[in-house]
Amino acid sequence: MKKPEGKFAWTVTVGEKGQIVIPKKAREEFDIRPGDTLIMLGDKKRGLAIPPKESFNLFAHAVYETEEDQ
């Protein structure tokens, strides 16, 4: 079976302190560097997501947007 273009899957292990290690290939593919801040989103039905760091401002704006901003 051929892998879909631009799609990836990795496994991570949760440590005793609840920390996960992002696999090296994932860090390289998504240019994640030490000291970077990532956002983690959760949905009880759909699970967890760590969107690209370029999306951080969009998510922050959506969280703090009010009706007055529209």
Side-chain angles (χ1 to χ4, degrees), residues 10-70:
W10 294 281
T11 61
V12 298
T13 302
V14 179
E16 298 217 5
K17 294 181 180 181
Q19 298 169 316
I20 62 170
V21 175
I22 300 171
K24 182 179 181 189
K25 294 277 186 185
R27 294 190 315 264
E28 291 172 348
E29 184 67 37
F30 292 95
D31 193 30
I32 299 170
R33 308 231 179 249
D36 282 353
T37 298
L38 304 177
I39 185 169
M40 179 178 275
L41 305 173
D43 180 295
K44 286 194 178 247
K45 292 182 181 179
R46 299 180 71 192
L48 296 172
I50 304 173
K53 59 188 172 186
E54 293 81 18
S55 301
F56 185 81
N57 286 338
L58 293 172
F59 286 108
H61 178 72
V63 167
Y64 293 111
E65 183 179 53
T66 65
E67 289 182 21
E68 296 166 1
D69 295 334
Q70 297 178 9

